Amino acid sequence: MRGSPTPIRATASRSRASGSAPPRSPTPSSPPSCARPGTSRSPSGPRAPRIIRNVPPDRLVAGSIVFTPPERTASLARADAWWRYVPGADWRHPEGPASDLAGRMNHPVVHVAHADAVAYARWANSRLPTEAEWEYAARGGLDRNRYVWGDAPLVDDAHPANTFQGRFPGHDTAADGHAGAASVATYPANGHGLYDMSGNVWEWTADWYRPDTYARRPPRAVDPPGPSNSFDPAEPGVAKRVQRGGSYLCTDQYCGRYTPDARGKGAPDSATNHLGFRIARDAAGR
């Protein structure tokens, strides 16, 4: 490996980031799913400011996207039933202006756009891990196992990661001990001593997203770099970065992407309350 992701994840108490960039629209054209927050940015750099028409002025304010469990049974085909744009939501106010970080200083920092994560990593003399580095680190020395801890979903009848139990999206029973995000290192580390490589919050990587990334690589590529551009056939023209690890919203009822092989995707300027990051540093002498 060119570098090794650190066992220290960005938390609210460590973050010096300035907050997340607001989505391009107060009401995203495609609401984020368990794995897919979305808005857009060009892979070649920021685009010119976009004029947003027919939006009430009181909605043209900075904010972010927040998971809001519906009170009634919701169709899993309508992700906008549990995601809403909240003015004033940011990493200091995870659910909006009325919320704060009290009791959450060791939670992973959320509402962080990709540029924010990159800026923090540079401040810390680090970088974001590539997708290949992230998966290597997540597997913790295991080879093709289903989960980062092995092949069984439970370990000694206990949940080894923070995911969603109950009926998604409206009722999380917190059988794993938490409904929503948990403090970093609440659950056991993997074989490399890294915490939260599965569940809790999604993590940005350095790589652009393409669905054919692995098909375009040699069968036994060693420490492969990511693609030079992004393409998502589900939203052509919307450039996205790879997200990994899954979150506290992952469930086999809807999105089971808390396994080390699963990939998420999101536009670099998008931010939600189930998305964070971790940093990596090159090994000494490399």
Side-chain angles (χ1 to χ4, degrees):
M1 284 176 64
R2 181 174 62 247
S4 55
T6 72
I8 299 176
R9 187 175 190 166
T11 64
S13 61
R14 295 191 181 95
S15 177
R16 304 285 180 87
S18 59
S20 61
R24 65 177 173 181
S25 167
T27 51
S29 57
S30 56
S33 71
C34 170
R36 194 186 66 237
T39 46
S40 71
R41 191 186 254 337
S42 167
S44 59
R47 291 197 288 232
R50 180 175 180 269
I51 298 175
I52 303 176
R53 304 181 187 279
N54 302 319
V55 177
D58 63 341
R59 300 298 301 276
L60 291 174
V61 295
S64 193
I65 303 171
V66 176
F67 173 71
T68 307
E71 296 181 358
R72 300 178 181 178
T73 301
S75 168
L76 297 185
R78 291 293 306 273
D80 57 350
W82 58 87
W83 289 110
R84 65 188 178 98
Y85 185 84
V86 178
D90 59 29
W91 69 276
R92 288 189 179 97
H93 309 93
E95 288 85 42
S99 63
D100 57 34
L101 297 178
R104 295 192 270 195
M105 293 304 288
N106 285 321
H107 280 212
V109 65
V110 294
H111 291 303
V112 178
H114 192 270
D116 295 329
V118 169
Y120 176 88
R122 287 175 178 167
W123 172 83
N125 194 29
S126 304
R127 58 181 173 79
L128 297 185
T130 66
E131 184 177 13
E133 289 174 333
W134 192 99
E135 183 168 336
Y136 183 93
R139 291 190 176 278
L142 299 180
D143 184 13
R144 287 166 282 191
N145 291 81
R146 173 68 174 162
Y147 304 102
V148 302
W149 55 82
D151 287 317
L154 301 179
V155 176
D156 296 329
D157 296 323
H159 293 273
N162 184 16
T163 57
F164 192 102
Q165 298 85 48
R167 183 165 183 170
F168 185 83
H171 180 57
D172 187 346
T173 64
D176 58 13
H178 294 85
S183 294
V184 170
T186 294
Y187 298 86
N190 72 0
H192 289 326
L194 300 174
Y195 294 93
D196 299 322
M197 300 302 293
S198 176
N200 215 15
V201 301
W202 284 92
E203 300 177 6
W204 287 114
T205 73
D207 289 10
W208 288 110
Y209 172 81
R210 292 187 62 96
D212 58 355
T213 295
Y214 291 93
R216 293 154 63 105
R217 286 176 177 164
R220 291 187 174 275
V222 176
D223 194 17
S228 60
N229 55 45
S230 172
F231 175 69
D232 180 8
E235 291 187 283
V238 179
K240 296 178 180 177
R241 296 279 186 177
V242 174
Q243 300 164 353
R244 285 296 203 120
S247 80
Y248 60 84
L249 296 180
C250 282
T251 166
D252 292 339
Q253 301 167 44
Y254 182 68
C255 159
R257 296 180 184 176
Y258 57 98
T259 57
D261 61 324
R263 310 175 76 207
K265 56 187 177 181
D269 59 358
S270 65
T272 70
N273 66 331
H274 76 332
L275 171 62
F277 67 100
R278 74 176 63 224
I279 58 177
R281 290 189 180 128
D282 291 334
R286 301 299 291 273

